[in-house]
Structure formats: C-alpha cells, structure tokens
Amino acid sequence: MRYDHTVYLINKPLATDDDDLDYSPKPTVQKAKANVKRTNISFASGEMYDITIVRVFGQYDADSIGLDDYDPADPTTVHKIQKVGRHLQHTDFYIANGEVTFNAK
C-alpha cells in the first residue's frame, strides 16, 4: 500500500488550570504520510454515505484532520473525524462527506 498523500493530524488539547483567564490552548498539528481513499458505505437501514478514509501507518490520535489542501488560517480546510479504526500496524480515520441520495424517476 502506498502512503503517497500528506495529511495533517490536528489535536485540540483540553484547557489546563492556568491563572490567566484568557488562556486558550493552541491545537497541535502533526504531519504524516497517508493513503487517502474516497468511497461509498451503505448501512443496513439503506442509507449510503460518501466517505473519505485516511489510513496512516502507525498508531495516531487526532480530533480533526487536514488533507492536501490544508491551510491553518482557513477553517474550511479542516475535516471532522467521524470514526477512528485502530489496527495492528495502521490507524484509519473516517470522514463523512455527505449522504448519497438517488433520484427515482
């Protein structure tokens, strides 16, 4: 499997006990090589979703993810992670892009 894409794993730390009332912890960004695949997943209820699966080699944690077009100044390039799959050698992050609907004619 080729890990030919660059992704940015974003962790938002929890607030710590700090004396400064205006303190807000900065998110940490970790750059990683990944395999990115876009596919459809259907559930038993009949719903189908267009998802992006981001697979990174190793064990990682992330709250959100930035793909190849990630810009730290633009929040629209940050994607929310819906599910994380942990395996022996890799971690899968699932991002739902939207529900697939079919037009019945």
Side-chain angles (χ1 to χ4, degrees):
M1 179 173 295
R2 296 181 327 188
Y3 293 89
D4 54 351
H5 292 272
T6 300
V7 296
Y8 301 90
L9 305 172
I10 304 165
N11 283 319
K12 297 177 184 165
L14 299 174
T16 59
D17 288 334
D18 197 13
D19 293 336
D20 188 10
L21 293 175
D22 295 331
Y23 175 74
S24 63
K26 302 286 185 218
T28 59
V29 178
Q30 183 176 8
K31 189 176 179 181
K33 290 301 218 177
N35 181 10
V36 180
K37 179 181 173 184
R38 194 162 179 173
T39 187
N40 290 335
I41 289 185
S42 58
F43 295 103
S45 63
E47 297 174 326
M48 183 178 285
Y49 287 90
D50 173 32
I51 65 161
T52 302
I53 301 171
V54 177
R55 178 173 285 170
V56 292
F57 187 76
Q59 299 295 322
Y60 289 95
D61 289 321
D63 297 318
S64 55
I65 199 162
L67 299 176
D68 291 326
D69 62 345
Y70 175 67
D71 180 13
D74 186 7
T76 61
T77 61
V78 175
H79 303 280
K80 183 180 175 188
I81 298 170
Q82 271 70 37
K83 182 182 176 198
V84 177
R86 301 203 184 278
H87 306 282
L88 184 62
Q89 296 291 330
H90 61 271
T91 306
D92 294 340
F93 298 102
Y94 295 84
I95 303 166
N97 301 315
E99 186 174 0
V100 176
T101 56
F102 297 102
N103 293 333
K105 290 187 179 185

